[in-house]
């Protein structure tokens, strides 16, 4: 019988409310008010005959296969990274031939920048590879132990092993998605090198696509948008186009207005889908859930990848994603605009508050070229323009 990691007691019951396997101490401390506590032997009775249990080995095999593919990709990325490094060095050398000796010091700075990033990315790939190997070993060990369970408590122990294995599969799936999203490095040469040579600090910048800039507000301005024909105060509720959302659903349409499919649904509360936006690569869909105070990130099939909850994001409404992948969200009743990381896992910064003129913000748009944030607010005739830095 497996034991509780926190208390060392045997796992005895399953809590439906929290979807947890618990010991007696856990129940006494954390689950006294839960409505459904079921003893594991009762819950596991007949479990070995269920389709879900019988399909677990196949699910593990499929995940291990995905991990094998990911390990192979990681090893290919190591070779590709070195090729990228050589190619960038060649670009730097080619540019170097067109200019004079004043570039010697600039070249050293640029190559040093490249070397530092090379080290960081090589370490990142090495860490990813080690994590994949470790995850693969864990899944292999877990499924072997599960298939070797015997004795009078076989059903109960098999159920426990099944739940633990399912949790590990979920962790492995998150790992696969996280590593898949990473990219290699690129070099962007400065087109003004020759005419402005003496004013430069480097030959260019080596970019890491996995990093994201965190902004802060530099200034704020208010602009009236109400026109003479408007009979009532303006309710500025949107500043872009994307997927189509209902109160509880998210739909995919073609550009000519034809419904393709429903990709997400949440009927748990009155309004669970308020606004939506899409990442530049089209792989992530961001949805605001104002009644649950959450920003939800989905994949293109509608599976929830991550959620963000934060005191500065109460009743999230409007949101936008810039071409560079920066994500901005309005907190309506918290009177805030926050920046969230591209994976939709955490808040990076609170850019504007009530003291900056925020009053029930409903919509937001970011002009990346000028680092300008435009915010529309409920029942207001004005828009607020924030200059970021």
């Amino acid at each position: 019988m497996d034991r509780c990691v926190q208390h060392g007691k045997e796992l005895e019951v399953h809590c439906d409310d929290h979807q947890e396997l618990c010991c007696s101490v856990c129940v006494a401390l954390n689950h006294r008010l839960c409505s459904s506590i079921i003893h594991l032997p009762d819950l596991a009775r007949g479990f070995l005959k269920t389709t879900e249990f019988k399909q677990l080995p196949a699910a593990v095999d499929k995940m291990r296969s995905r991990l094998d593919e990911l390990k192979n990709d990681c090893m290919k990325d190591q070779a590709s990274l070195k090729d990228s490094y050589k190619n960038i060095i060649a670009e730097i050398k080619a540019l170097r031939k067109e200019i004079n000796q004043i570039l010697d010091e600039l070249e050293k700075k640029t190559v040093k920048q490249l070397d530092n990033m090379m080290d960081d990315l090589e370490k990142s790939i090495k860490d990813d590879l080690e994590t994949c190997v470790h995850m693969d070993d864990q899944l292999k060990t877990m499924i072997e132990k599960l298939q070797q369970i015997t004795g009078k408590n076989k059903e109960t122990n098999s159920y426990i092993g099944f739940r633990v294995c399912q949790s590990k599969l979920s962790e492995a799936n998150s790992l696969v998605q996280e590593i898949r999203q990473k990219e290699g490095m690129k070099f962007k040469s400065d087109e003004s090198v020759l005419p402005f040579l003496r004013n430069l600090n480097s030959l260019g910048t080596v970019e890491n696509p996995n990093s994201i800039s965190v902004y802060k507000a530099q200034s704020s301005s208010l602009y009236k948008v109400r026109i003479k024909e408007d009979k009532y105060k303006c309710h500025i509720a949107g500043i872009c186009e994307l997927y189509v959302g209902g109160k509880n659903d998210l739909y995919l349409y073609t550009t000519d207005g034809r419904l393709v499919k429903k990709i997400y649904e949440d009927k748990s509360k009155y309004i669970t889908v308020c606004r939506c936006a899409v990442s530049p690569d089209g792989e992530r869909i961001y949805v605001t859930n104002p009644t649950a105070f959450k920003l939800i990130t989905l994949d293109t099939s509608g599976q929830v990848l991550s959620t963000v909850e934060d005191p500065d994001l109460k009743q999230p409404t409007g949101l936008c994603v810039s071409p560079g992948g920066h994500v901005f969200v309005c907190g309506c009743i918290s009177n805030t605009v926050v920046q969230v990381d591209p994976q939709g896992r955490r808040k990076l910064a609170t850019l504007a508050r009530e003291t900056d003129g925020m009053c029930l913000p409903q919509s937001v748009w970011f002009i990346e070229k000028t680092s300008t944030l435009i915010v529309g607010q409920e029942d207001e005739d004005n828009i607020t323009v924030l200059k970021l830095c």
Side-chain angles (χ1 to χ4, degrees), residues 206-370:
V206 182
E207 299 178 331
N208 180 358
N210 301 316
S211 65
I212 194 76
S213 300
V214 179
Y215 289 96
K216 62 179 180 180
Q218 189 176 35
S219 63
S220 174
S221 304
L222 201 65
Y223 297 91
K224 187 176 293 291
V225 295
R226 186 175 180 179
I227 60 177
K228 293 181 179 179
E229 288 77 12
D230 290 332
K231 296 181 179 180
Y232 306 101
K233 279 193 172 182
C234 298
H235 184 127
I236 305 167
I239 312 183
C240 68
E241 73 273 4
L242 298 150
Y243 286 77
V244 177
K247 290 182 178 179
N248 302 102
D249 321 280
L250 188 67
Y251 300 89
L252 176 63
Y253 280 80
T254 62
T255 53
D256 59 2
R258 179 174 53 85
L259 174 63
V260 178
K261 62 180 178 178
K262 179 193 291 186
I263 66 169
Y264 177 73
E265 181 178 62
D266 182 357
K267 300 290 187 182
S268 63
K269 297 182 182 295
Y270 177 60
I271 298 178
T272 55
V273 176
C274 181
R275 309 279 197 277
C276 65
V278 184
S279 63
D281 59 8
E283 295 299 315
R284 293 182 299 279
I285 307 166
Y286 308 93
V287 175
T288 51
N289 183 331
T291 51
F293 289 9
K294 292 181 180 179
L295 172 69
I296 301 170
T297 303
L298 312 170
D299 62 16
T300 53
S301 67
Q303 180 181 350
V304 177
L305 300 177
S306 57
T307 60
V308 174
E309 297 179 75
D310 191 88
D312 280 350
L313 199 56
K314 294 180 180 178
Q315 199 177 88
T317 49
L319 77 158
C320 74
V321 182
S322 75
H326 303 92
V327 183
F328 303 94
V329 190
C330 296
C332 184
I333 63 175
S334 55
N335 295 320
T336 54
V337 177
V338 305
Q339 182 181 357
V340 175
D341 73 291
Q343 285 71 41
R345 294 174 183 156
R346 61 188 178 92
K347 179 188 76 174
L348 296 178
T350 299
L351 302 174
R353 301 178 183 273
E354 192 169 358
T355 54
D356 301 303
M358 294 297 100
C359 181
L360 303 178
Q362 293 284 314
S363 54
V364 61
W365 187 250
F366 183 60
I367 305 173
E368 199 160 51
K369 184 177 181 180
T370 58

Side-chain angles (χ1 to χ4, degrees), residues 109-122:
K109 292 180 180 180
T110 308
V111 174
K112 182 178 179 181
Q113 181 190 26
L114 176 63
D115 288 337
N116 290 339
M117 187 166 292
M118 178 71 175
D119 292 339
D120 292 341
L121 292 177
E122 278 192 323

Side-chain angles (χ1 to χ4, degrees), residues 79-118:
S80 176
L81 189 63
K82 292 179 180 179
D83 289 339
S84 297
Y85 177 80
K86 293 176 181 178
N87 291 337
I88 293 173
I89 289 293
E91 288 183 60
I92 294 172
K93 294 297 184 182
L95 185 60
R96 176 67 181 86
K97 292 178 181 179
E98 298 179 24
I99 53 182
N100 57 31
Q101 293 184 349
I102 197 173
L103 287 177
D104 287 344
E105 186 62 28
L106 298 178
E107 183 183 17
K108 292 178 183 177
K109 292 180 180 180
T110 308
V111 174
K112 182 178 179 181
Q113 181 190 26
L114 176 63
D115 288 337
N116 290 339
M117 187 166 292
M118 178 71 175

Side-chain angles (χ1 to χ4, degrees), residues 141-154:
T141 301
M142 290 173 69
I143 199 64
E144 288 176 350
K145 287 184 177 179
L146 182 62
Q147 293 172 330
Q148 294 171 2
I149 293 176
T150 59
K152 63 178 183 179
N153 293 323
K154 182 177 180 180

